Amino acid sequence: MMQMFSQNPAAAYRRVTLDARIAASGSADLTRICLEECEAALAHALIAFDRGQTPSREPISRAQTIMLWLASSVAPGHPLGASLKAFYGGLAAQLGGQILQPDHQRLSEIRKDVSDLLEAAG
């Protein structure tokens, strides 16, 4: 683990910052943090496209994992529970299709969906 930190100090800093945010948050904040992290991962993949590169699998896989976690963690009594599970699960499925053959337009649309959800959450 220390080797990873020494090879990528920026990633280590982001991880420590994320861990601190999670530790200090309540359940509503966890959803926002997850959505923000998903949006950031997709932005990372889109930057690769902007540089004329194919994005690595890591940010897309990370975004998919976040969506799967959100889908599985919707509170059972939530009034929008079924809709949220379908939304998160649908995005996770779409992201799964982007891991091997990423498409700039499709990733942009998924990122916009996540961004819209964040905006709606306030």
Side-chain angles (χ1 to χ4, degrees), residues 41 62 79 120:
R62 179 182 167 131

PDB file of all heavy atoms in Angstrom, residues 41 62 79 120:
ATOM      1  N   ALA A  41     -14.897  10.615 -11.620  1.00  0.00           N
ATOM      2  CA  ALA A  41     -14.318   9.485 -12.355  1.00  0.00           C
ATOM      3  C   ALA A  41     -14.657   9.592 -13.840  1.00  0.00           C
ATOM      4  O   ALA A  41     -13.798   9.372 -14.707  1.00  0.00           O
ATOM      5  CB  ALA A  41     -14.818   8.158 -11.784  1.00  0.00           C
ATOM      6  N   ARG A  62     -14.640   2.366 -11.798  1.00  0.00           N
ATOM      7  CA  ARG A  62     -14.915   3.009 -10.505  1.00  0.00           C
ATOM      8  C   ARG A  62     -16.312   3.615 -10.497  1.00  0.00           C
ATOM      9  O   ARG A  62     -17.070   3.453  -9.542  1.00  0.00           O
ATOM     10  CB  ARG A  62     -13.862   4.065 -10.233  1.00  0.00           C
ATOM     11  CG  ARG A  62     -14.092   4.780  -8.932  1.00  0.00           C
ATOM     12  CD  ARG A  62     -13.057   5.859  -8.700  1.00  0.00           C
ATOM     13  NE  ARG A  62     -13.527   6.672  -7.601  1.00  0.00           N
ATOM     14  CZ  ARG A  62     -12.808   6.995  -6.574  1.00  0.00           C
ATOM     15  NH1 ARG A  62     -11.580   6.615  -6.476  1.00  0.00           N
ATOM     16  NH2 ARG A  62     -13.319   7.734  -5.622  1.00  0.00           N
ATOM     17  N   PRO A  79     -39.266   6.669  -0.307  1.00  0.00           N
ATOM     18  CA  PRO A  79     -40.418   6.822  -1.196  1.00  0.00           C
ATOM     19  C   PRO A  79     -40.069   6.708  -2.687  1.00  0.00           C
ATOM     20  O   PRO A  79     -40.918   6.336  -3.487  1.00  0.00           O
ATOM     21  CB  PRO A  79     -40.954   8.221  -0.876  1.00  0.00           C
ATOM     22  CG  PRO A  79     -39.959   8.878  -0.002  1.00  0.00           C
ATOM     23  CD  PRO A  79     -39.049   7.835   0.543  1.00  0.00           C
ATOM     24  N   ALA A 120     -30.170  18.288  -8.612  1.00  0.00           N
ATOM     25  CA  ALA A 120     -31.507  18.136  -8.044  1.00  0.00           C
ATOM     26  C   ALA A 120     -31.455  17.890  -6.539  1.00  0.00           C
ATOM     27  O   ALA A 120     -32.356  18.284  -5.798  1.00  0.00           O
ATOM     28  CB  ALA A 120     -32.235  16.991  -8.737  1.00  0.00           C
TER      29      ALA A 120
END
